[in-house]
Amino acid sequence: MFDTNLNNIPQGFKSYVKSIIFGDPLDPKKCEPKTILPNQGDRYRFSHVGAFTPKGGNAGDILLPVVLRDLFVHGGGGIKWSSINVRKTVNQQTIDTINDSQGLIIGGGGLFLRDTNENNISGWQWACSSEQLKLIKVPICVFAVGYNRFRGQKEFDTFFRENLQLLTEKSVYLGLRNHGSIKAICEYLPEELHHKVIFQPCMTTLISELYPDLFIDKDNSSSNFIALNCAFDRSELRFGDKKDKLLNDIAAGIVELTKSTGLSIKYYAHYRKDLEMVDVLARNNVRFEVCDLSKLSPKEIILAYQAPLLAMGMRGHAQMIPFGCQTPILSLVSHNKLQWFLDDINQPHWSVDLREDNIPEKILAKSLEILNSRSSVLQTIRDKQKQLWNISSINIKRFLEVVD
């Protein structure tokens, strides 16, 4: 547990951490995504089901809907959006809102997860019943969604299969953000529906392609630090009974890395629970700063991930956002989705799996390998990003053609 009485937090971080824990309540009105690209006119009217999150929530979920909308705006022109929070009760008004638009976009994020917005209606995050799905009359696009079931996590309930099958039948396509998710989801579907399940990368992997004006000076900027993120939601599934050892092993690897490179560390907290690592780093005598990404705007999150020489992360978006910002990454794998992304870009070695032995040594060796090959790593990222961009452009065009 994170120590809310702050007894074990270094003096320099106490005021910072206290503001996070005891800060003002979140204002739901701040959840509405504001696009970064100009969104002029209303050539299209779309309903959007997503995990809309205000400042103070998960940084990945703060950024995600903004980039999704900008990607569609870039591909199709001005869009008037109707927001439907994925965790709100679905009623007739929800269905009417959807049917009053030209199409429904569901995404992105790891929405195929049973215990976030747990329900006995659909079995996944959007609790829209099969009966309600049948009432939707407009084209549906499931876009960049992930199968987010953790290692060792309980299986989906039986009604998930029925709901998923109907959703797939009604959708133009089911766009999943990695091939691991595609394989997993197809296990719940009859073979005749497998062709509707397609690869749609997470839009955060496309950030520098989508917002080139934010990256004009990236090659000329100087940075001298490594960003580190650790995740603490569902700790028992991430770490098992080795939590303390694994966290101390990560810290030990960071200590050796700073000694070898002379680089400083910035700890990137995507969410409040991520701050649990602050005490572990301090106890291991790591010198570091804390950057709370959950308090930043979408554009500021992007700028934060442009800056490091290397981003080492345990969350999916702690690897995909920096990749999208053309920042080299090393993934600390406590969830299969991180490895699935690396497999998709043909760089499976940009990882340290926390189930393996010798974590400190692997963190040091793999970090040095990436840092010492910076030019080739950056070229690989650029090449892979263009491939993902082309796939996404084709998928967006396919949906817009159905709407038109």
Side-chain angles (χ1 to χ4, degrees), residues 144-148 175-184 197-202 319-320 336-342 344:
V145 167
Y147 178 87
N148 236 35
L176 299 183
R177 64 187 181 185
N178 50 60
H179 285 86
S181 288
I182 291 174
K183 182 179 179 181
V197 184
I198 67 168
F199 177 43
Q200 171 52 54
C202 181
Q319 66 169 184
M320 291 187 289
N336 290 334
K337 65 182 180 183
L338 283 91
Q339 194 62 52
W340 288 344
F341 170 70
L342 297 176
D344 281 345

Side-chain angles (χ1 to χ4, degrees), residues 339-354:
Q339 194 62 52
W340 288 344
F341 170 70
L342 297 176
D343 291 343
D344 281 345
I345 61 170
N346 299 316
Q347 303 299 321
H349 54 288
W350 289 354
S351 68
V352 175
D353 195 311
L354 298 187

Side-chain angles (χ1 to χ4, degrees), residues 239-260:
F239 308 119
D241 59 359
K242 299 180 179 179
K243 178 179 176 181
D244 289 345
K245 182 180 186 308
L246 288 172
L247 297 180
N248 284 306
D249 280 350
I250 292 169
I254 295 297
V255 168
E256 294 306 313
L257 183 57
T258 58
K259 289 179 181 178
S260 296

Side-chain angles (χ1 to χ4, degrees), residues 64-283:
L64 201 58
V66 172
V67 184
L68 182 148
R69 292 185 178 190
D70 277 337
L71 197 60
F72 273 85
V73 167
H74 183 277
I79 299 173
K80 182 178 180 181
W81 297 96
S82 296
S83 300
I84 300 169
N85 196 305
V86 71
R87 294 163 195 164
K88 294 293 184 181
T89 300
V90 178
N91 53 31
Q92 188 57 48
Q93 183 179 354
T94 310
I95 303 303
D96 291 343
T97 297
I98 293 170
N99 286 334
D100 284 342
S101 65
Q102 293 174 274
L104 170 63
I105 298 169
I106 303 172
L111 299 186
F112 291 128
L113 182 64
R114 61 166 291 143
D115 64 351
T116 299
N117 197 33
E118 189 168 4
N119 65 83
N120 59 2
I121 297 171
S122 68
W124 57 291
Q125 287 201 49
W126 195 36
C128 183
S129 69
S130 295
E131 290 71 23
Q132 290 167 324
L133 279 175
K134 292 174 184 177
L135 297 176
I136 297 176
K137 306 300 182 184
V138 298
I140 301 173
C141 169
V142 180
F143 198 83
V145 167
Y147 178 87
N148 236 35
R149 186 165 163 243
F150 280 69
R151 294 167 168 175
Q153 190 169 23
K154 187 178 178 182
E155 179 57 270
F156 285 95
D157 290 312
T158 54
F159 48 84
F160 170 72
R161 187 181 299 268
E162 175 192 349
N163 189 271
L164 176 67
Q165 181 170 332
L166 180 59
L167 175 66
T168 307
E169 290 171 351
K170 290 183 65 68
S171 297
V172 177
Y173 53 76
L174 209 71
L176 299 183
R177 64 187 181 185
N178 50 60
H179 285 86
S181 288
I182 291 174
K183 182 179 179 181
I185 284 296
C186 283
E187 294 292 327
Y188 299 92
L189 295 171
E191 190 171 349
E192 60 267 23
L193 288 177
H194 287 187
H195 72 282
K196 300 193 81 173
V197 184
I198 67 168
F199 177 43
Q200 171 52 54
C202 181
M203 59 288 306
T204 59
T205 65
L206 310 172
I207 287 172
S208 65
E209 286 282 338
L210 184 59
Y211 307 116
D213 290 348
L214 298 181
F215 291 82
I216 293 173
D217 296 325
K218 177 174 172 63
D219 291 340
N220 298 322
S221 63
S222 59
S223 58
N224 61 350
F225 72 93
I226 294 168
L228 170 67
N229 164 266
C230 295
F232 289 87
D233 55 308
R234 302 172 184 83
S235 289
E236 70 284 357
L237 295 173
R238 290 186 183 274
F239 308 119
D241 59 359
K242 299 180 179 179
K243 178 179 176 181
D244 289 345
K245 182 180 186 308
L246 288 172
L247 297 180
N248 284 306
D249 280 350
I250 292 169
I254 295 297
V255 168
E256 294 306 313
L257 183 57
T258 58
K259 289 179 181 178
S260 296
T261 63
L263 298 172
S264 60
I265 300 296
K266 289 189 181 181
Y267 184 71
Y268 278 19
H270 278 231
Y271 190 53
R272 179 188 301 176
K273 288 186 177 181
D274 294 357
L275 292 167
E276 187 170 341
M277 192 65 183
V278 168
D279 185 40
V280 179
L281 294 173
R283 281 192 279 106

